Amino acid sequence: MHFKRILATFFLAGSLIAFFSGLVVGQTVSNEGTEFWAVFPTHVAANLNGVRPLANYTVFITGKHASSGIITVGSFSQTFNLTQPNTVISISIPRNAAYINENEANTILPNRAIRIKVDPGKPKVVVYGHIFAGARSAASLILPKEALGQKYFSMNFTQQSAGNEGKNHIVIIATEPSTKIFLKRGNVDLVPGGIFLNNVGDVYEYLEGSDLTGVEISSDPITSACKRFAVFSGSSTTYITTSNCFGNLSSDPLYQQNYPVDSWGTSYGFIPFSNRSPTGSIQRANGNFLRVLAKENGTEVKIDGVLVGVLNAGQYYQTPGALTRSVLITSNNPVAVAQYALTQICAGGGVSDPDMVILNPVEFNIKDITVYSSTKEDITQQYVNIFIKTAAASSFKINGNAPSSSFSPLPAAPEYSYLQISLNQYNTSAFRLSADEGFNAIAYGFGDYESYAYSAGTNLASNQSITAVRKVTREELSNACTQEDFDFKVVLQAEADTIFWKFDTNDPGIKQVNPQGNPIQINDKTLYEYFYPRTYVFDTPGQKIIKVTVDYKDKNTCSSSKDHIDFVFEVYDPSIPLFDSPDEVCETATVSFTDKSTAKFKAISRWFWDFGDGATSTLQNPTHKYARYGEYTVKLIVDNETACIPDTFSKKIKVNARAVPDFSATDGLCANNTITFTDASSIPEGNIVKWIWDFGDETIIEVMNNQPVTHTYQKIGTYDVKLTLVSNSGCESQPSVKPVTVFSPTLVMGSMVYIIEGESVILNVAAAGNNLRFKWTPALALNRDDIQNPVASPLSDITYSLTITSEEGCEQTDTIAVIVLPGIKASNTFTPNGDGVNDVWTIENLNEYPGSEIHIYNRYGVKLFSSVGYPDPWDGKYQGEVLPVGTYYYIIDPKNGRKALSGSITILR
């Protein structure tokens, strides 16, 4: 027993059970597989002005993983290689190798089936078949061999075509040797004695001009009770019209692979085909017909809860007219449901043509599938219809993204929602559809007189299956994991006398004699489950072929004493969780977690994080904040949508505490606004190593101790003081912010001012404070001594003192000197005649104005004299030449803020 696996299983308790839900499986298989059988039935070519192009058949292969394999039919053989997941490859099938001519109908055609086989050990694929030619198109999802059964009812439509060219068909493919099959309409054998297909790949096409819907196709219970075979049905060409539609009725082939009755259900969602004109404008579509086909007597059929018919086995209900709304179809017994597109002229102006798609029941939905959307032959509009539980609609993704339009609840059953998605907006032909819960989907396309439709993917019933059973929880898994002990269970159609198990080519195998079988009921059948007598561990991943050979107690159970069954079983390595994150963080900081997990074969698609403080996340790379310091264990589990439970990757993260800042502040009182700040901070663990003070006036200081600090404010006001702390772990605290009010008044005065005697000056001072009072001393020569800016008119130099007092009683005092200068007196004449008397122009008191400037001009504005100061008085000359008698003009600028003086001066001789 692998102890680590047991721990991983127990770790799924609680919230993780929901995270990894959906691993339990019943007896179902999806349309993904490793072996498929298809057929190219009779097809009536279109008549295009006398030209009748022959149809082609193409196999389209896609899947969620790269894979490879081979396609064979008759003498044709071609390998395929799907190199990239979620892409598509196409293989054209030679017409002469696979096509069934009408004159070959109702005969056994050896080796006419198209076989698609994946290489051993390669991943499963999804397969579609498409018939197309000029103005002709029909397509079907191809089912894997393990989804085939032993009983079917054919789904066709009323046969109508020009010149009665078309016919309904049922085509049967033997996937096992010596398969005997009966076709019955009621109690009438359509092929008396049955059809014996001796070899694998033998084909039989039954062709008839009437509607074959409801014909039962079943294996002989005596010779072929366990033989699986494939059934296709449809028409070589037909009209599908409404009662009020007349004119140029176009026809198209119908082609669908039928589901065995075990894969029928009791609930179906119908969504009309979307319909647009050739130019792209939305048209009013005339809707689609529905057929509901019963496999049992007394089957009650309801549409939106209203009883519309009671059917017996092989009977069908068809809607009286084409439905234009989405509805829910329910029944008391399993039924098959088909949806039909109309002939183009009947489609309300949109492009279209007859087509048929067999819907999948709600019971057999699927969560993740890759679907191909074809444009052949002349398809211009491509869509998918999605039907899903309303609660899961928001989780639906197309190519990993939410669709551009929103789901609508079903009017009569709002617990379900539907959506029509146009695929023309995407630049790809393969689409991955996924959701947290199962959904049903059909893909379809329309062109001018052309159409196709098929199931996008489904789960189907299986009468024989093998599952791995987890030891502790008893979960049943459709795939297994390496290095984990599993019980294995096989479900068989009858009681076994002996079972021989072989898990590997090198496994010698184990034989069980008279094993104890447990009868179980699946789809109204009694099946038997048996357990492998030991546990088994796969050492390597990959696709495993588990071979089970059964010897039945009833020797007629499967036409022989032994049944050889090969089960394809996927084995995966568990994903390995890993992430990066800081080893230490600060509380309340945003912590980033980076996923570094690895997974083999299948990419990781889900993440579950447990941050250790009660919080979780499902993001790949989440962020988280820890509200409290401490040590936390972070756990990561990842899922790649297999049954594997990965190991839990755990990492401890230390969340360091942030200090809690606090401080007190003394008032600045009246002493120059200096305030003392005292630290009162604390820290729950560690030490504070730095105190960062922001005083709110653009002054910030850092100190390395908690001693009191002082700060002097230059202006009064209220300041938001912040204290931020840094601990020894490097964690910075959130700041503590407190308001501090500074109220000591401020006073700014100049040192002196100048006036000329006889003048006045306003004493301008800057003062700030609350409700200031002013007092000037002395009051001499002041107009007032109790205002901020009085007028001073002293006759001589004087120094004034101003004291301001705030309402808090704080005072500030300063002084200012007023200097009284004598006035400048310039004479207005002088006589520069050389007699020593009045020979120069005199200016009294100019020596009191150092730096003054003197300029003299003639009447024409020519500057004759210029001087800074007046050390050399003007002598009436210009450039050494005596100026003539006359009037000249002067400007004296004292350069002390006073106004310049100007006037005239006369030279006399």
Side-chain angles (χ1 to χ4, degrees):
M1 185 66 65
H2 291 261
F3 182 67
K4 182 169 66 174
R5 286 275 165 244
I6 294 176
L7 291 180
T9 301
F10 278 117
F11 188 60
L12 290 180
S15 60
L16 293 187
I17 288 179
F19 178 67
F20 287 104
S21 63
L23 298 180
V24 179
V25 297
Q27 273 60 58
T28 62
V29 294
S30 79
N31 61 287
E32 294 177 301
T34 58
E35 183 178 358
F36 304 81
W37 293 90
V39 71
F40 190 0
T42 299
H43 172 94
V44 176
N47 189 341
L48 305 178
N49 297 320
V51 177
R52 309 203 74 165
L54 298 178
N56 302 294
Y57 193 98
T58 295
V59 172
F60 295 103
I61 301 171
T62 185
K64 295 193 289 288
H65 311 287
S67 190
S68 62
I70 189 169
I71 299 178
T72 56
V73 54
S75 60
F76 170 76
S77 175
Q78 183 171 331
T79 60
F80 66 84
N81 188 14
L82 184 66
T83 58
Q84 296 292 328
N86 300 312
T87 58
V88 65
I89 55 175
S90 61
I91 307 292
S92 295
I93 306 300
R95 181 183 172 89
N96 58 5
Y99 181 66
I100 302 173
N101 284 297
E102 185 171 345
N103 58 13
E104 294 180 301
N106 305 314
T107 62
I108 295 173
L109 304 173
N111 203 18
R112 192 65 66 90
I114 304 166
R115 187 190 192 200
I116 302 96
K117 185 74 170 66
V118 172
D119 291 332
K122 293 295 184 179
K124 296 178 180 180
V125 298
V126 174
V127 176
Y128 303 92
H130 195 175
I131 302 168
F132 57 90
R136 290 286 191 263
S137 182
S140 177
L141 177 71
I142 308 300
L143 304 181
K145 180 181 175 181
E146 56 263 38
L148 304 178
Q150 293 83 30
K151 184 176 181 179
Y152 301 80
F153 283 90
S154 183
M155 186 73 80
N156 303 75
F157 201 75
T158 305
Q159 185 59 54
Q160 301 178 90
S161 57
N164 295 320
E165 288 185 300
K167 290 182 173 62
N168 271 213
H169 59 63
I170 299 171
V171 189
I172 304 162
I173 304 173
T175 65
E176 300 181 33
S178 303
T179 302
K180 187 176 182 180
I181 298 168
F182 293 108
L183 299 183
K184 291 186 177 182
R185 180 186 282 123
N187 294 321
V188 178
D189 284 332
L190 298 182
V191 182
I195 304 163
F196 188 76
L197 303 178
N198 189 51
N199 300 306
V200 173
D202 284 356
V203 170
Y204 186 93
E205 179 182 75
Y206 182 79
L207 205 61
E208 188 177 292
S210 60
D211 189 348
L212 293 175
T213 298
V215 170
E216 179 185 311
I217 311 107
S218 59
S219 59
D220 180 9
I222 304 300
T223 65
S224 306
C226 297
K227 304 293 185 181
R228 301 184 184 192
F229 59 95
V231 174
F232 290 80
S233 66
S235 172
S236 57
T237 189
T238 190
Y239 305 142
I240 299 181
T241 69
T242 56
S243 59
N244 60 350
C245 181
F246 306 97
N248 182 22
L249 300 176
S250 57
S251 62
D252 222 19
L254 306 181
Y255 175 68
Q256 285 282 285
Q257 183 165 6
N258 285 220
Y259 299 111
V261 294
D262 293 335
S263 291
W264 292 13
T266 58
S267 297
Y268 291 81
F270 163 78
I271 308 166
F273 293 127
S274 186
N275 209 348
R276 293 175 179 269
S277 74
T279 61
S281 60
I282 298 174
Q283 301 294 310
R284 180 176 176 80
N286 281 344
N288 314 131
F289 284 109
L290 273 182
R291 278 190 175 183
V292 183
L293 176 60
K295 76 164 187 172
E296 299 177 22
N297 294 338
T299 297
E300 298 177 356
V301 178
K302 295 180 180 180
I303 294 181
D304 285 346
V306 177
L307 183 68
V308 295
V310 180
L311 308 175
N312 290 327
Q315 292 182 338
Y316 66 86
Y317 166 81
Q318 180 176 314
T319 52
L323 284 176
T324 58
R325 72 183 195 279
S326 296
V327 300
L328 181 68
I329 303 103
T330 55
S331 60
N332 61 329
N333 297 317
V335 294
V337 178
Q339 179 174 345
Y340 300 86
L342 300 176
T343 295
Q344 179 160 308
I345 198 172
C346 305
V351 292
S352 179
D353 233 13
D355 215 320
M356 171 178 74
V357 60
I358 300 176
L359 303 181
N360 301 119
V362 173
E363 296 94 314
F364 291 110
N365 53 39
I366 198 162
K367 293 171 61 176
D368 191 340
I369 194 65
T370 298
V371 62
Y372 172 65
S373 179
S374 175
T375 58
K376 299 180 181 297
E377 172 77 10
D378 189 28
I379 298 297
T380 58
Q381 298 171 23
Q382 303 151 267
Y383 302 89
V384 290
N385 285 354
I386 309 297
F387 186 81
I388 192 172
K389 288 183 178 178
T390 301
S394 61
S395 70
F396 180 81
K397 300 288 189 297
I398 179 167
N399 290 340
N401 298 304
S404 57
S405 50
S406 300
F407 280 85
S408 299
L410 203 66
E415 66 272 22
Y416 293 102
S417 289
Y418 65 93
L419 177 63
Q420 296 172 323
I421 304 175
S422 172
L423 301 180
N424 295 79
Q425 61 187 299
Y426 300 97
N427 187 27
T428 183
S429 57
F431 302 87
R432 185 176 183 183
L433 312 177
S434 62
D436 290 346
E437 293 190 32
F439 57 87
N440 302 102
I442 59 171
Y444 54 100
F446 292 127
D448 195 17
Y449 295 100
E450 193 169 351
S451 62
Y452 70 81
Y454 47 79
S455 168
T458 185
N459 275 310
L460 305 111
S462 176
N463 289 333
Q464 296 182 141
S465 64
I466 191 166
T467 53
V469 181
R470 192 157 265 139
K471 298 293 294 181
V472 177
T473 65
R474 307 310 293 170
E475 294 169 287
E476 292 188 34
L477 312 175
S478 59
N479 52 68
C481 312
T482 57
Q483 307 307 316
E484 182 174 357
D485 290 322
F486 286 104
D487 289 328
F488 280 86
K489 182 181 78 173
V490 66
V491 175
L492 302 174
Q493 298 184 81
E495 289 187 272
D497 194 22
T498 63
I499 302 176
F500 184 77
W501 303 72
K502 188 176 177 65
F503 278 77
D504 196 293
T505 55
N506 298 322
D507 180 15
I510 291 179
K511 183 177 182 179
Q512 291 176 282
V513 179
N514 293 321
Q516 183 63 43
N518 179 39
I520 58 175
Q521 292 295 123
I522 302 290
N523 295 325
D524 300 325
K525 284 189 176 182
T526 300
L527 305 177
Y528 295 84
E529 61 180 15
Y530 296 88
F531 282 89
Y532 182 64
R534 304 176 186 173
T535 59
Y536 192 86
V537 177
F538 289 104
D539 294 323
T540 59
Q543 197 173 84
K544 310 296 181 179
I545 306 296
I546 301 177
K547 295 180 178 293
V548 177
T549 303
V550 182
D551 187 356
Y552 292 103
K553 289 184 177 181
D554 182 354
K555 303 306 180 185
N556 292 322
T557 296
C558 290
S559 75
S560 66
S561 62
K562 292 187 181 298
D563 193 9
H564 300 276
I565 311 168
D566 289 349
F567 291 104
V568 178
F569 203 78
E570 300 287 356
V571 178
Y572 303 100
D573 278 331
S575 51
I576 303 172
L578 182 67
F579 64 86
D580 280 346
S581 67
D583 295 327
E584 292 189 35
V585 297
C586 300
E587 61 181 348
T588 72
T590 299
V591 187
S592 295
F593 296 88
T594 304
D595 174 54
K596 297 289 185 180
S597 305
T598 57
K600 297 179 180 178
F601 195 74
K602 294 190 77 172
I604 293 171
S605 57
R606 293 190 291 180
W607 294 259
F608 186 92
W609 299 81
D610 182 343
F611 297 117
D613 62 349
T616 61
S617 174
T618 56
L619 298 176
Q620 181 179 2
N621 298 300
T623 59
H624 183 61
K625 292 182 179 181
Y626 288 94
R628 182 172 174 79
Y629 68 94
E631 189 172 74
Y632 297 89
T633 299
V634 182
K635 299 175 182 179
L636 171 63
I637 290 180
V638 291
D639 177 31
N640 58 352
E641 296 184 4
T642 68
C644 296
I645 303 172
D647 293 333
T648 303
F649 180 74
S650 300
K651 179 180 178 180
K652 290 186 181 298
I653 293 182
K654 188 175 187 307
V655 179
N656 295 306
R658 296 184 190 270
V660 180
D662 191 17
F663 64 92
S664 61
T666 61
D667 289 337
L669 301 179
C670 299
N672 67 14
N673 295 328
T674 297
I675 296 179
T676 300
F677 298 93
T678 303
D679 174 58
S681 304
S682 62
I683 186 169
E685 66 172 15
N687 300 304
I688 303 171
V689 297
K690 185 187 294 186
W691 288 254
I692 304 171
W693 295 92
D694 181 343
F695 297 116
D697 62 350
E698 300 183 354
T699 303
I700 300 174
I701 65 170
E702 295 181 2
V703 296
M704 303 304 171
N705 56 57
N706 62 345
Q707 296 302 310
V709 297
T710 60
H711 182 63
T712 300
Y713 290 91
Q714 300 303 313
K715 298 179 181 179
I716 66 168
T718 299
Y719 298 85
D720 285 332
V721 178
K722 300 177 184 178
L723 173 59
T724 304
L725 307 174
V726 179
S727 67
N728 60 337
S729 63
C731 294
E732 186 175 287
S733 72
Q734 296 295 321
S736 174
V737 182
K738 293 185 178 182
V740 174
T741 300
V742 178
F743 50 75
S744 180
T746 58
L747 177 63
V748 179
M749 301 172 65
S751 59
M752 63 182 64
V753 294
Y754 295 89
I755 63 171
I756 296 175
E757 60 184 354
E759 294 183 354
S760 299
V761 64
I762 297 174
L763 301 179
N764 288 314
V765 298
N770 295 323
N771 296 322
L772 294 176
R773 299 190 302 274
F774 302 89
K775 182 62 178 177
W776 292 88
T777 57
L780 181 66
L782 295 177
N783 67 329
R784 287 185 61 176
D785 64 356
D786 60 352
I787 61 174
Q788 180 174 346
N789 300 306
V791 176
S793 307
L795 299 177
S796 60
D797 297 347
I798 189 172
T799 297
Y800 291 105
S801 175
L802 172 61
T803 298
I804 60 174
T805 304
S806 69
E807 68 178 12
E808 296 86 6
C810 298
E811 293 184 351
Q812 292 285 352
T813 301
D814 202 355
T815 59
I816 186 171
V818 179
I819 308 302
V820 180
L821 300 176
I824 299 173
K825 298 178 180 179
S827 63
N828 57 7
T829 61
F830 73 107
T831 56
N833 53 14
D835 62 358
V837 178
N838 202 25
D839 283 337
V840 295
W841 181 46
T842 60
I843 305 174
E844 294 182 20
N845 301 323
L846 192 59
N847 60 329
E848 299 291 337
Y849 300 87
S852 59
E853 293 182 359
I854 299 93
H855 307 284
I856 300 175
Y857 304 87
N858 64 14
R859 59 187 298 183
Y860 303 107
V862 176
K863 184 183 289 188
L864 305 176
F865 177 86
S866 183
S867 174
V868 176
Y870 202 52
D872 298 314
W874 183 42
D875 59 1
K877 294 180 180 178
Y878 175 63
Q879 294 182 349
E881 296 294 329
V882 175
L883 293 171
V885 172
T887 300
Y888 299 86
Y889 303 92
Y890 66 86
I891 295 175
I892 301 173
D893 186 354
K895 289 297 182 182
N896 63 351
R898 308 298 299 175
K899 184 178 178 180
L901 304 176
S902 63
S904 63
I905 180 175
T906 302
I907 296 177
L908 301 174
R909 300 285 184 195

